[in-house]
Amino acid sequence: MKYHEMEAREVEETLNTDRHEGMSEEDAKKRLKQFGYNELEEGEKQSALLLFFSQFKDFMTLVLLAATLISGLLGEYIDAIAIIAIVVINGFLGFFQERKAEKSLSALKELSSPQVIALRDGEWKKISSKEVVVGDLLKFTSGDRIGADVRLIECNNLEIEESALTGESLPVQKSVSPVKTDDPGIGDMENMGFMGTMVTRGNGIGIVIGTGMKTAMGQIADLIQNAESMTTPLQRRLEQLGKILIVVALLLTVLVVAIGVLQGQELYMMFLAGVSLAVAAIPEGLPAIVTVALSLGVQRMIKQKAIVRKLPAVETLGCASVICSDKTGTLTQNKMTVTHIWSGGTEWTVDGIGYTPNGEFYKREKKIEPKSDKALQQMLMFGMLCNNAEIKQKESEYIIDGDPTEGALLVAGMKAGYNRSSLLHQFQITEEFPFDSTRKMMSIVVNDQTGRRFIVTKGAPDVLANISDTILWNGKRQIMSKEMSANINKAINDLASQALRTIAIGYKEVSAGAGKFDEKEAEKNLTFIGLQGMIDPPRTEVKSAVKECKEAGIKTIMITGDHVVTAQAIAKQLGILTKSSKVMDGRTLSTLGTEELEEVVEDVSVFARVSPEHKLKIVKALQNRGHIVAMTGDGINDAPAIKAADIGIAMGITGTDVAKEASSLILLDDNFATIKSAIKEGRNIYENIRKFVRYLLASNVGEILVMLFAMIMALPLPLVPIQILWVNLVTDGLPAMALGLDRPEENVMKRSPRNPKEGIFSRGLGWKVVSRGFLIGIVTLLAFIFSYQGNPEQLAYAQTVAFATLVLAQLIHVFDCRSEKSVFARNPFGNKYLVGAVISSLLLMLAVIYWEPVQPIFHTLPIKASDWLMIIGLSSVPTFLLGFTYLARKTK
C-alpha cells in the first residue's frame, strides 16, 4: 500500500483504526497474534549442542583429553574413564552457567528494549515497542526513537534524523500532506516516520503502517545490530592471569616429570602427575564463575530498579567518587505540592505529599476547617476552576494528566473537600484565555448559579500584582497601595526563601450583560486574593542515601535548571549543601574557562540555572581532577555529558531514547537512592569476585605445594591425579560460586572509592593467597606423612587421608574468604548458599571415600574414625591460626 500518497483519513479507514480512541487492547492482541512482535529477526543463535562442545576447547581440557588417550593406550582404562567423566561433568557445569548468563542477557534486552507511547482505548499508554501493531497511533517528541514505520497525521515543528536509513545526517522537516511523487525514496517521504529514526525537534502523532521485518529498517538486513559482547577490565586482567598460570603449569609439568624420572618413578605416572599438577595450577572454573557473578549481580540490580546496559559499568560503579544528579524527579518526587497559602496578611500551611488528596490545613500550627475562611475558600476554589489539569486514580496511586503546577492547585482544593466536577456545576466557564509565556497568566470567565459573572486569573505574582488595583485584606477589598504591594513582595520573598514556587490568584466581578472580552480587557483592574506556595518535595529516602554516599567517600553534586534559591533550599534539606560547600549559577559557570572551573569545581555542591550544555563542562572538569564521575540525565541534550561520564545514567521514566542509548545504567524509577544501591551492588560484585579468586588460587597453591614438596622430599605422590582433578574441577566449584552470591560486608559503603587502576591482588590479597595456600599444602603433606609412616605398605590409605585433609582445609578456608580481615570478622553462617555448597562438597568427598563402587576409580579407602580427629585438627590450622592472630591483634 502506498500510504504516503493517501490522506490521513484514508489511512485511518484502510487500517481500521480511530485517531481519537486508537486501537482497543482486544484488537491489538489479535493483530499481535496475527502479525507477530514488532522486532527485527536476529541472526542464528549458537545451538545448545555447539555451546556444549565449545566447553572443551580450552587448552587445559585438551591436555586432559590427551592424558586420557595415553591412559587408554597404556591400558589404564579406569583412570581414562574417570578423567573423561570429570571433564564431561565440568563441561556440563560450564554449559549450564553460560546458558544462565545468556538467559540473563535476554532478560536484560527485554527490560531495556525501547518503549513508545501508544493510544489504546482512548488513553495514551507507555508500552514496549515490540507490542506495537499495525493501526496503533504513536505519539513522539524530541529525543524519542520511532518504534515502527508510521504515516504522520499530526506534526508540530517535527524534524526527524534518518541517517540510519538514508545516510543523510541533516534532519528532515516533516509534514502531514500526501506525497504524490513517483517512486519516492525514503528521504522524499516527508509524511512518514521510520522505525529506528530519531526525533530531533518538535512532536507528532503517526499511524503505524509497518512493524518488524515489514518496516524499512527490517528490509535492510545489514543494518541489524546484534547485542555487543563486552568484557570488563577485570575479566581482561583475569584472562592475563590465566595465561601466566598456563606457562607456570607447563613449567611445573616438565619439572615434576623430570624430578620423578630421576628418582626412578614410572614415566607414565609422572606424566599423569605432571598433568594433574598443571590442572591444579589453573582455576579452570574462574572465567565461568566471574561471568555468572556479573550476570547474577546485574539481575540483582534489575530487582533494585537499575538496568546495566554495559557490563564494564558494574566494575566502574565501585570506583565512582562523584555523582552529578539532576534535581527534579531524581532527588525530588516530581510532584508539585501546595504547602503554604497566603492571603491578606494571613498564612496557612497544608500537609500531605504528592498528588494524594489527603492533608490538613493549619493556621499558626492549629488545625482549621478550610471552608470556614472566605479568603482561603476563594483561593482553593478559584485555583481549581482556572485549571486544565486532571487528577486520575489508578488503583491506589494518583497521577496527573496536565501541568504539575495546575495539578498541585487541584490537589490542594481536593484536600479541602472540593471537587472540580462539582464546582463546574456551580460555575459555568464561558470563555478561557490560555496561559502563554508572554502574559504569564491564564484567565477564565465564569457564571455562577445566581447569575453573577466573574473573571478569574492565575499567574506570576509580580505580573498579577501589577494588573490589580485592589487587594483582599482581612476579608475586605482595599486599594492596592505601595504598602500593600510591599506586603505582597515580602510574602513572595518569604515563600521563595523556603524554596516555594508561588502562583497568584485574582478575580473581578463583571456585568452579567457584558459581551465577550479580549485578553487585555479581561486581565486588568483585578482584586488580588493571594498566593499559593508549592514545592516539588524531596524524596524521603534520598537524604539517607546522600549521607551513605558521603560515608562511602562519594560526593553528591546537584545540577539543575531550577532557580538558585530553590536548588539551595532542597540541597540543604538533603544534606548535599554544607557550610563549607558553594553554589554556582549557570551565568557564572559560562564565564569560567576549563582550567578556572577545575580550580573551584570540587568546592561546589550545587549548580543551578544551568543548561544541558554546561553538564559536559562540569563532567570534564571533575574528570581532569581525577574523579570517576557518574552523571544523570534525561534529555537529548544531556547525551554528550552522559556519554562522556565514566558512568552515564539515564532516567527510565522521563529519559529520552537518545539519553538511554548514551548511558551505561538506566534507573527504572528515576530515583537517586537507586544510584546509591547500584554503587553498593557494584562494590559488592567486585569484592565477591576477589573473594572467590582468593579461594580458588589459595586452594590451587596448596595443591601445587603438597605435590612439589613431596617430590623434593622423595616421598610417594600424596595425591593421585584423579583426586586432584576431582578437587579442582568439582569440589571447589560450588563454594566458589556461592561466594559470588555473598551479601555486602557492613563497611562496604564506608570505604573510599576503589582506585580504577587497582590490581586484583591489591590490599594484601596476593599475600593471603600465598600464605593460606602454603599452610593448606603443609597440613595436607603432614597428614600424608603421619598416615604413611604409620602404615607405609598402605599408600592408598595415606593418599585418602591427604585427599580428605586437602578438601576439608579448603572448605574451612572458604569461610575465611568472606572477609578481608578474618573468619571471626563475620558470622560464618551468614551466607546460606555457601553453607549449602560446603555441605554438598563434604557429601561428595565422603561419597568418594566411603562409597565402594567409586573407591577403585579414585584410589580411596575408608578412613578410620580416629584419623578424622587428626584430619579435622590439621584442616583447621590454616584458617584458625591466622584467625586467632587477628583476634590477638584486635584485643591489644
Side-chain angles (χ1 to χ4, degrees), residues 318-424:
C319 307
S321 57
V322 173
I323 303 172
C324 295
S325 176
D326 191 17
K327 176 181 75 70
T328 305
T330 308
L331 298 171
T332 62
Q333 297 184 30
N334 199 19
K335 294 178 178 178
M336 294 302 294
T337 307
V338 172
T339 58
H340 290 69
I341 299 174
W342 178 91
S343 177
T346 304
E347 187 173 326
W348 299 268
T349 56
V350 191
D351 64 14
I353 294 175
Y355 298 134
T356 304
N358 298 326
E360 302 291 344
F361 288 76
Y362 299 86
K363 182 178 178 181
R364 288 191 283 276
E365 299 183 359
K366 184 181 178 183
K367 192 191 294 186
I368 60 144
E369 170 54 50
K371 292 182 180 180
S372 64
D373 189 292
K374 188 177 179 183
L376 179 57
Q377 192 179 7
Q378 281 186 307
M379 286 288 292
L380 295 169
M381 288 171 57
F382 287 165
M384 293 186 86
L385 282 171
C386 193
N387 202 312
N388 287 319
E390 188 179 349
I391 299 291
K392 295 179 178 178
Q393 185 175 2
K394 284 194 172 179
E395 297 175 358
S396 60
E397 186 182 5
Y398 290 85
I399 58 173
I400 182 177
D401 183 6
D403 181 77
T405 301
E406 293 194 323
L409 297 176
L410 277 183
V411 173
M414 291 167 75
K415 287 176 180 176
Y418 293 111
N419 180 289
R420 190 166 191 268
S421 298
S422 301
L423 287 178
L424 290 174

Side-chain angles (χ1 to χ4, degrees), residues 629-640:
V629 183
M631 165 64 76
T632 69
D634 54 11
I636 188 169
N637 291 332
D638 292 332

Side-chain angles (χ1 to χ4, degrees), residues 293-294 297 300-301 304 314-315 317-318 676-692 738-746 748-749 751 754 818 826 831:
L294 287 169
R300 286 196 297 271
M301 286 190 185
Q304 293 178 10
V314 176
E315 191 178 339
L317 277 165
K676 183 269 299 181
S677 300
I679 288 174
K680 186 176 182 179
E681 190 63 56
R683 287 188 175 192
N684 188 46
I685 289 169
Y686 184 81
E687 292 306 313
N688 284 351
I689 289 172
R690 277 174 54 92
K691 289 173 189 176
F692 59 67
L739 279 174
L741 298 169
D742 213 6
R743 288 182 298 182
E745 292 188 60
E746 288 180 5
V748 73
M749 287 297 280
R751 305 174 192 161
R754 176 173 54 83
R818 293 189 64 225
R826 297 187 79 181
N831 182 341

Side-chain angles (χ1 to χ4, degrees), residues 405-684:
T405 301
E406 293 194 323
L409 297 176
L410 277 183
V411 173
M414 291 167 75
K415 287 176 180 176
Y418 293 111
N419 180 289
R420 190 166 191 268
S421 298
S422 301
L423 287 178
L424 290 174
H425 287 296
Q426 299 175 45
F427 300 92
Q428 182 187 0
I429 300 174
T430 58
E431 287 181 71
E432 180 181 318
F433 305 109
F435 176 88
D436 70 41
S437 56
T438 306
R439 289 167 32 248
K440 296 183 180 178
M441 287 182 291
M442 170 189 176
S443 298
I444 55 170
V445 182
V446 296
N447 296 331
D448 70 8
Q449 290 175 322
T450 64
R452 296 167 68 194
R453 198 173 185 199
F454 299 93
I455 292 173
V456 179
T457 302
K458 78 168 191 298
D462 54 339
V463 175
L464 208 133
N466 286 336
I467 59 170
S468 298
D469 56 9
T470 57
I471 180 172
L472 205 63
W473 195 271
N474 292 329
K476 296 178 181 178
R477 283 172 57 189
Q478 296 190 25
I479 300 295
M480 181 69 78
S481 61
K482 286 184 180 180
E483 184 186 351
M484 290 299 178
S485 294
N487 284 328
I488 293 172
N489 288 331
K490 184 179 182 303
I492 294 169
N493 291 332
D494 286 347
L495 294 174
S497 67
Q498 300 172 65
L500 297 173
R501 183 180 298 172
T502 50
I503 193 158
I505 293 176
Y507 81 106
K508 70 177 177 183
E509 188 171 353
V510 293
S511 168
K516 285 200 170 186
F517 295 91
D518 59 27
E519 290 171 4
K520 286 185 179 180
E521 190 180 353
E523 294 172 344
K524 67 179 184 180
N525 303 328
L526 299 179
T527 297
F528 190 96
I529 306 176
L531 307 165
Q532 292 202 41
M534 59 192 71
I535 193 170
D536 178 8
R539 289 179 181 263
T540 52
E541 65 275 23
V542 167
K543 187 172 183 179
S544 60
V546 169
K547 183 183 177 184
E548 200 170 340
C549 284
K550 190 178 288 186
E551 290 173 349
I554 303 167
K555 181 180 181 180
T556 303
I557 297 176
M558 178 194 287
I559 301 180
T560 178
D562 216 332
H563 293 280
V564 172
V565 174
T566 306
Q568 207 166 355
I570 295 289
K572 279 181 181 175
Q573 287 182 46
L574 294 173
I576 293 172
L577 189 63
T578 61
K579 291 178 181 178
S580 59
S581 54
K582 298 176 182 176
V583 179
M584 183 180 288
D585 63 16
R587 188 177 296 174
T588 307
L589 182 59
S590 297
T591 63
L592 297 179
T594 307
E595 291 182 3
E596 292 173 304
L597 180 58
E598 285 175 29
E599 289 176 11
V600 299
V601 71
E602 290 183 313
D603 299 325
V604 180
S605 292
V606 177
F607 289 94
R609 300 304 279 173
V610 297
S611 64
E613 289 77 14
H614 286 135
K615 286 189 175 183
L616 184 59
K617 192 175 179 179
I618 296 166
V619 169
K620 292 292 185 187
L622 287 164
Q623 287 174 329
N624 291 343
R625 296 289 294 181
H627 288 285
I628 302 299
V629 183
M631 165 64 76
T632 69
D634 54 11
I636 188 169
N637 291 332
D638 292 332
I642 291 173
K643 199 162 189 177
D646 300 280
I647 308 155
I649 303 172
M651 302 296 107
I653 299 171
T654 60
T656 60
D657 286 338
V658 178
K660 289 175 187 175
E661 286 187 11
S663 70
S664 46
L665 190 74
I666 297 174
L667 305 183
L668 293 178
D669 56 359
D670 292 10
N671 190 345
F672 178 86
T674 305
I675 304 174
K676 183 269 299 181
S677 300
I679 288 174
K680 186 176 182 179
E681 190 63 56
R683 287 188 175 192
N684 188 46

Side-chain angles (χ1 to χ4, degrees), residues 166-363:
T166 64
E168 178 59 54
S169 58
L170 291 176
V172 179
Q173 179 76 46
K174 294 294 183 177
S175 70
V176 298
S177 305
V179 175
K180 301 291 187 181
T181 312
D182 291 335
D183 196 22
I186 287 173
D188 301 319
M189 297 186 192
E190 294 176 354
N191 59 1
M192 298 283 287
F194 299 98
M195 182 189 206
T197 59
M198 190 71 65
V199 179
T200 57
R201 186 183 174 200
N203 57 73
I205 295 174
I207 300 175
V208 175
I209 54 96
T211 60
M213 297 306 289
K214 300 293 184 183
T215 61
M217 181 70 82
Q219 293 166 15
I220 306 175
D222 60 352
L223 289 179
I224 298 174
Q225 298 176 356
N226 293 320
E228 186 180 356
S229 179
M230 305 182 74
T231 57
T232 73
L234 173 65
Q235 285 175 312
R236 289 194 289 274
R237 285 200 291 271
L238 291 175
E239 282 174 18
Q240 290 167 359
L241 173 65
K243 290 173 184 175
I244 293 168
L245 289 175
I246 285 173
V247 174
V248 170
L250 291 172
L251 291 173
L252 281 172
T253 304
V254 173
L255 182 65
V256 167
V257 172
I259 292 172
V261 170
L262 287 173
Q263 290 177 347
Q265 301 279 357
E266 291 181 20
L267 177 63
Y268 164 71
M269 281 304 296
M270 285 302 96
F271 173 75
L272 274 186
V275 168
S276 61
L277 203 55
V279 171
I282 300 172
E284 292 87 350
L286 189 57
I289 295 172
V290 170
T291 301
V292 171
L294 287 169
S295 171
L296 293 173
V298 165
Q299 291 299 307
R300 286 196 297 271
M301 286 190 185
I302 289 170
K303 288 177 183 175
Q304 293 178 10
K305 308 291 186 184
I307 295 178
V308 178
R309 293 189 65 252
K310 298 173 183 175
L311 209 52
V314 176
E315 191 178 339
T316 313
L317 277 165
C319 307
S321 57
V322 173
I323 303 172
C324 295
S325 176
D326 191 17
K327 176 181 75 70
T328 305
T330 308
L331 298 171
T332 62
Q333 297 184 30
N334 199 19
K335 294 178 178 178
M336 294 302 294
T337 307
V338 172
T339 58
H340 290 69
I341 299 174
W342 178 91
S343 177
T346 304
E347 187 173 326
W348 299 268
T349 56
V350 191
D351 64 14
I353 294 175
Y355 298 134
T356 304
N358 298 326
E360 302 291 344
F361 288 76
Y362 299 86
K363 182 178 178 181

